[in-house]
Amino acid sequence: MQSRRDFIRNAAMLTGAAGFAAGMPESVRKAFAIAPEPGTTWLDAEHIVILMQENRSFDHALGTLQGVRGFNDPRAIRQANGNSIFLQTSADGDTYAPWRLDIKDTKITWMGSIPHSRDSQVDAWNMGHHNAWIDAKKSHNTDYTGVPITMGHYTREDLPFYYALADAFTVCDQSYCGVMSSTTPNRSIFWTGTIRDQQNTHSSVYMRNQEFPSGKLKWKTYPERLNEADIDWKIYQNELGLADMEPEAHEWLGNLGNMTESFAAYNVHMSDASMQKIQSRIDATKSEITELQKTAAAASMNDDKKAEIEEKQAHVTALETQLKKGSGGLANLPPKQQELHRRAYVTNAGDPDFHTLETISFEEGGNTVKMKVPKGDVFHQFRSDVDNGKLPTISWLSPPGKFSDHPSHPWYGAWYVSEVVDILTKNPEVWKKTIFILTYDENDGYFDHAPSFVAADPQNKATGGASGGIDTGLEYSYAPDEIAQAVPKTEARSGPIGLGFRIPTIVASPWSRGGWVNSQVFDHSSTLQLLEEYVQGKFGKTVQESNISEFRRAICGNLTSVFRPADNTQSTLPFLDRDKHVESIQRAQNKVIPSNYKKLTAEQIETYNKSPRSVANASRQEPGTRPACALPYEMYCEGDVNIESKTFVLAMKAGDNVHGTRSAGAPFNVYLRNTAHTSGASPRGANNQKMFVATYAVKAGDTMREGYPLQLFADGKYDIDVHGPNGFYRAFRGDSASSPVVVRCVYDRRVKGLTGDVAAKVKNVSDKVLTVVVADNSYGTGKQAKELAAGEEASILVDSSKAHGWYDFTVQVKGLSASMQYAGRVETGKSSVTDPVMGGSVA
């Protein structure tokens, strides 16, 4: 097994995070090579193991990975000023594109976090314009404030282990954090489905880390529901977060993220760690009293000294009372409450060194370097349970801070993740029956180009809406309410609770292997929804998380689309050759501040907007495509001018005919361009002029219609972009005159189900002969022209078979400027491949 001493040896040998990872891909190869039982499905799993790491955005970690919606995204949104969303501009007018952070030849992994508090996240989102990252995410360290760290990203060379894991299993590239805020609120969604103490709009919203007290919150968590249903579960950590340790020891030996410590039902105050902490405080205070008494005896006992001693003695009495109540108190609780506590706080107390650090040394450049590391095995109990056949049905891992991937620590986390895989694959019979989910709580302050699908403000119709039965107010928060909860006025923000920004999620299992990409929208509640499905399907028990809002259930999937029935086919994995790096973490600490970013000139900005790949050193993805999961989407969006009401009417639909009960609801982000004026909250500078952003959540089987007054647009010339999941895109451009043709994009049904082709269904509603042109924009299907007599209707087929169901075409009447653009992928219910345009397979 990979012991703590193996970790120490690697620490001395290998470079930073990349080095730790570079030595570990054998664990991934072993996991992939273990053949599942043919014909089994994910419901045949006996174990689900879940690990949430810390603070990395998708683009930052995996934006250059082959096949995902990363830096080659051909349908990334345009900002109000016309720039690609990849070009972020500061209030001072400086523009930056994404740039590589070299993890081994710069000190980036030692430069700490950048802002990711509620206020900075909402400010970067900027009312949906998604264009204020440079200003909102400046490092608090004055040495780095001039470095646009937020736009920095890593590559396979930097993070080989994570890329290898994605190569072997399934990466989710539309996975979002649950809350537009920091760590603890996102973990609250992950464990409980909510950040509200009650599921109504008058309840308190817990939006910031410091708002989660120890052991006081009352709403129900999902592990409690599992406990009530007698489903076997555990939460593994080396030690509790409240344990009494020195700061450095706590970073190596505590846990980061076990949310149950905030909830009263778990009685964390009765834990051994709590009792030991109280006893330490009692001992320390008694020592302080003794010293005060000695000092007072040597001089004269004045009133101030007496008062100070009496105050400390009262404190000791209160602590001793607290200790007496907690010590042995667990045994007095009902059995179910005792069980809840013990399952939530599975520590490594069985390892005599679980509270101990030791010093190791190694040579670097002729010098001896010393560092402290854990002496014990931070996986002691998890490893023991796996080895002895005691791994529960559902388990969560909560790592120490140093192994959490949090940017405030050097990136040691690859070792931790790889060790989880090593432990699970030691016995192939265990791995054949296990699902391992790796995800992240939030993005830290790192930029991601895919705008969030958020809840609309129910008090402002201009921000969008949702299908009937969805109360977006449950997913919205207002600054006055935050101020009433003691949030400083300068930090209070009105804005959506979620979804937050994209984060990496990888699902490793016998039913998700092969280097696939899944592009269904997920968030932190999706893991809970998966557990609901699993418990129902496996045990016939209904264990629902009632805290999950209808908004989230409508647009966030339950992860089941990740899985495929197992067979013994060995996929060809896109592993790339990579050198093992031999520089150490300590050496990286003394490297230079990364500086290979550039302020773009006006000419470079223009070139980037026209063709990002033609710009020298522009961030881009690895070439090629990957297998893509079948998704339960059937999305439609059409638009027409209504002369009578003087509006442009948009119809957004999430169909349920193709996929039946599996059909997913869909979110749509609508960008209204060329607007005549702005209204509502003042936008940030000129870049926000001439565009409104609205967002919609549409239930499966429903159609939402929204009318936009033509007077909203300058000179009545509408310019509307609509973005949905997995590259779904519609664009409508024209003027206030009604179109002489009615156009609909339909999915071809020449056989049972969908063929994967699309068709432009057009009808000439004028009294003249017209020529309709359907022109491909991306996939090489050419241009078609169809002459239509007055009143004639036709269907113009767009063959997308060579592009695996991907399409991108514009419909226009010859001689007129109005146009409609349709792009996306046809979801036939069968697997496909990722976007060939992103992979460079088509020009």
Side-chain angles (χ1 to χ4, degrees):
M1 70 182 179
Q2 176 87 23
S3 69
R4 184 268 318 166
R5 294 192 181 277
D6 293 321
F7 163 70
I8 294 172
R9 183 169 60 252
N10 287 327
M13 287 174 51
L14 303 170
T15 180
F20 283 112
M24 305 300 175
E26 182 58 32
S27 64
V28 179
R29 295 176 186 268
K30 181 172 65 172
F32 177 80
I34 295 173
E37 297 297 331
T40 58
T41 74
W42 71 278
L43 283 173
D44 291 299
E46 295 182 3
H47 313 287
I48 298 180
V49 179
I50 306 165
L51 170 61
M52 175 175 273
Q53 293 287 77
E54 286 276 317
N55 293 45
R56 303 287 176 174
S57 82
F58 188 89
D59 277 347
H60 166 75
L62 297 174
T64 65
L65 180 67
Q66 178 195 67
V68 298
R69 195 151 296 277
F71 295 124
N72 291 2
D73 188 350
R75 287 180 283 282
I77 70 167
R78 292 181 296 138
Q79 298 176 56
N81 61 8
N83 286 347
S84 164
I85 200 64
F86 286 114
L87 302 180
Q88 290 288 312
T89 303
S90 71
D92 294 331
D94 298 329
T95 299
Y96 300 92
W99 57 288
R100 183 193 165 197
L101 301 171
D102 188 322
I103 205 168
K104 67 183 179 67
D105 288 331
T106 73
K107 65 184 298 180
I108 183 58
T109 196
W110 291 89
M111 289 169 62
S113 284
I114 52 180
H116 51 280
S117 58
R118 168 65 172 173
D119 52 303
S120 76
Q121 301 283 50
V122 173
D123 289 351
W125 171 74
N126 195 24
M127 297 175 292
H129 288 258
H130 204 72
N131 64 354
W133 289 81
I134 301 297
D135 294 324
K137 302 299 184 180
K138 286 183 179 179
S139 174
H140 294 304
N141 187 322
T142 55
D143 292 338
Y144 311 144
T145 51
V147 182
I149 299 174
T150 184
M151 303 302 292
H153 67 86
Y154 293 112
T155 67
R156 180 181 293 271
E157 184 179 357
D158 302 300
L159 306 177
F161 175 80
Y162 293 98
Y163 276 67
L165 196 66
D167 288 345
F169 296 103
T170 298
V171 60
C172 303
D173 70 351
Q174 296 268 246
S175 182
Y176 293 79
C177 60
V179 183
M180 203 175 286
S181 187
S182 49
T183 290
T184 316
N186 276 290
R187 288 182 176 269
S188 183
I189 296 288
F190 184 63
W191 294 83
T192 79
T194 189
I195 59 171
R196 287 185 177 274
D197 57 6
Q198 298 177 48
Q199 293 310 296
N200 61 67
T201 56
H202 303 293
S203 57
S204 296
V205 177
Y206 292 74
M207 189 64 78
R208 294 161 176 80
N209 292 350
Q210 62 271 24
E211 295 170 5
F212 287 81
S214 177
K216 294 182 180 179
L217 300 181
K218 301 292 187 180
W219 72 84
K220 188 164 282 189
T221 64
Y222 199 71
E224 289 176 74
R225 302 184 195 279
L226 292 174
N227 215 52
E228 292 167 356
D230 295 318
I231 302 298
D232 192 16
W233 65 277
K234 288 181 182 178
I235 302 173
Y236 294 94
Q237 59 256 289
N238 186 67
E239 177 57 291
L240 272 62
L242 56 67
D244 189 28
M245 291 184 277
E246 294 296 320
E248 184 177 10
H250 201 284
E251 290 176 349
W252 282 109
L253 303 172
N255 87 71
L256 188 62
N258 186 341
M259 271 296 299
T260 65
E261 292 188 36
S262 292
F263 289 85
Y266 292 86
N267 292 294
V268 69
H269 65 285
M270 294 182 179
S271 64
D272 291 343
S274 180
M275 296 299 98
Q276 291 165 5
K277 187 171 186 177
I278 293 171
Q279 186 61 60
S280 294
R281 289 178 176 174
I282 290 172
D283 294 343
T285 307
K286 283 183 175 180
S287 295
E288 292 170 4
I289 291 171
T290 299
E291 290 303 313
L292 282 170
Q293 289 172 335
K294 287 179 181 178
T295 303
S300 58
M301 180 70 79
N302 59 38
D303 290 342
D304 289 344
K305 290 289 184 183
K306 287 180 182 179
E308 187 175 359
I309 290 172
E310 288 173 359
E311 182 180 349
K312 290 184 179 295
Q313 287 173 333
H315 183 53
V316 167
T317 299
L319 288 172
E320 288 175 336
T321 300
Q322 188 178 349
L323 185 65
K324 186 176 181 181
K325 286 182 178 179
S327 181
L330 192 63
N332 297 323
L333 295 178
K336 277 291 184 183
Q337 289 188 23
Q338 293 184 44
E339 182 183 10
L340 188 70
H341 177 96
R342 293 192 177 104
R343 287 183 179 276
Y345 305 130
V346 178
T347 71
N348 293 327
D351 183 335
D353 295 319
F354 87 119
H355 267 205
T356 307
L357 294 179
E358 68 176 2
T359 301
I360 60 145
S361 61
F362 52 89
E363 295 300 312
E364 176 197 320
N367 298 317
T368 300
V369 177
K370 296 182 178 181
M371 64 183 292
K372 289 185 177 180
V373 293
K375 187 175 182 180
D377 178 6
V378 295
F379 288 103
H380 172 79
Q381 194 57 52
F382 178 69
R383 192 189 306 275
S384 175
D385 283 359
V386 173
D387 290 348
N388 294 302
K390 296 182 178 179
L391 184 66
T393 303
I394 297 166
S395 55
W396 289 268
L397 293 162
S398 190
K402 287 278 192 180
F403 294 117
S404 71
D405 284 350
H406 197 291
S408 61
H409 304 292
W411 205 331
Y412 297 113
W415 174 84
Y416 190 92
V417 179
S418 121
E419 189 70 354
V420 174
V421 178
D422 270 341
I423 292 168
L424 292 173
T425 56
K426 181 179 180 182
N427 182 346
E429 295 306 312
V430 172
W431 182 248
K432 285 181 181 180
K433 302 173 183 177
T434 299
I435 296 167
F436 172 51
I437 300 172
L438 169 67
T439 190
Y440 287 75
D441 61 348
E442 38 101 348
N443 62 296
D444 201 76
Y446 295 107
F447 169 79
D448 185 85
H449 83 277
S452 306
F453 296 110
V454 302
D457 179 358
Q459 298 180 15
N460 183 355
K461 190 176 183 295
T463 64
S467 292
I470 297 177
D471 182 2
T472 59
L474 284 173
E475 296 291 351
Y476 215 87
S477 176
Y478 299 97
D481 296 330
E482 292 188 344
I483 293 170
Q485 288 183 220
V487 174
K489 187 176 182 180
T490 56
E491 298 176 12
R493 295 291 187 276
S494 293
I497 291 173
L499 306 181
F501 303 115
R502 275 198 315 172
I503 42 87
T505 297
I506 299 174
V507 181
S509 78
W511 307 279
S512 58
R513 62 182 197 153
W516 288 59
V517 177
N518 184 291
S519 299
Q520 187 174 0
V521 171
F522 303 127
D523 85 322
H524 294 330
S525 75
S526 295
T527 305
L528 296 179
Q529 294 184 59
L530 176 70
L531 296 182
E532 291 174 345
E533 293 289 323
Y534 177 73
V535 171
Q536 182 68 55
K538 186 80 172 177
F539 305 106
K541 294 183 177 182
T542 301
V543 184
Q544 292 288 111
E545 182 46 79
S546 58
N547 292 330
I548 300 175
S549 69
E550 287 302 310
F551 169 79
R552 292 181 192 272
R553 288 195 183 273
I555 69 168
C556 300
N558 58 18
L559 287 173
T560 57
S561 62
V562 165
F563 303 109
R564 298 163 296 283
D567 59 37
N568 286 333
T569 302
Q570 289 282 335
S571 298
T572 300
L573 298 184
F575 284 119
L576 303 182
D577 291 335
R578 62 180 79 91
D579 295 329
K580 290 185 178 180
H581 306 287
V582 293
E583 296 167 346
S584 72
I585 287 279
Q586 297 296 329
R587 197 171 199 179
Q589 183 180 18
N590 297 318
K591 292 288 185 177
V592 297
I593 296 172
S595 60
N596 58 314
Y597 55 89
K598 292 182 179 179
K599 294 180 184 178
L600 300 183
T601 65
E603 182 180 2
Q604 288 171 324
I605 292 171
E606 182 180 2
T607 301
Y608 192 102
N609 285 325
K610 290 180 179 178
S611 177
R613 297 187 204 184
S614 66
V615 178
N617 300 318
S619 297
R620 52 179 58 90
Q621 291 174 244
E622 301 165 339
T625 59
R626 290 183 180 231
C629 297
L631 306 179
Y633 286 128
E634 184 187 350
M635 294 180 286
Y636 305 89
C637 181
E638 301 292 352
D640 300 285
V641 171
N642 185 313
I643 292 295
E644 291 183 3
S645 62
K646 297 182 179 179
T647 60
F648 185 89
V649 180
L650 203 63
M652 297 160 282
K653 179 179 179 179
D656 61 356
N657 292 320
V658 176
H659 308 293
T661 57
R662 294 182 59 251
S663 300
F668 297 89
N669 282 347
V670 178
Y671 300 85
L672 307 175
R673 304 179 178 283
N674 190 43
T675 52
H677 58 84
T678 58
S679 62
S682 298
R684 183 193 67 88
N687 285 355
N688 277 18
Q689 304 299 319
K690 299 184 179 180
M691 187 170 84
F692 292 142
V693 184
T695 184
Y696 300 86
V698 184
K699 285 182 177 179
D702 194 17
T703 300
M704 286 195 68
R705 290 179 173 83
E706 189 75 272
Y708 305 104
L710 290 172
Q711 65 181 14
L712 179 68
F713 302 95
D715 302 321
K717 295 181 178 180
Y718 60 86
D719 185 348
I720 301 172
D721 288 346
V722 182
H723 289 262
N726 195 26
F728 179 90
Y729 176 68
R730 301 292 188 261
F732 305 94
R733 298 180 178 90
D735 55 32
S736 56
S738 62
S739 174
V741 297
V742 174
V743 182
R744 296 293 181 261
C745 177
V746 298
Y747 304 128
D748 182 56
R749 297 174 180 267
R750 286 172 293 169
V751 298
K752 185 179 181 180
L754 302 183
T755 66
D757 292 333
V758 293
K761 188 175 181 180
V762 295
K763 183 177 182 179
N764 183 354
V765 294
S766 75
D767 56 3
K768 299 178 181 179
V769 176
L770 299 173
T771 299
V772 176
V773 179
V774 176
D776 175 85
N777 301 309
S778 301
Y779 299 100
T781 59
K783 183 184 293 186
Q784 303 177 65
K786 180 73 174 178
E787 187 175 88
L788 298 177
E792 185 179 358
E793 184 175 331
S795 184
I796 304 172
L797 189 71
V798 177
D799 181 1
S800 60
S801 59
K802 292 182 180 180
H804 307 280
W806 292 93
Y807 61 92
D808 180 3
F809 62 90
T810 298
V811 181
Q812 201 164 10
V813 175
K814 192 173 183 179
L816 299 181
S817 60
S819 66
M820 290 134 284
Q821 184 178 353
Y822 301 91
R825 187 180 84 187
V826 182
E827 297 299 341
T828 64
K830 299 177 181 179
S831 59
S832 182
V833 300
T834 55
D835 194 338
V837 172
M838 290 193 303
S841 303
V842 293

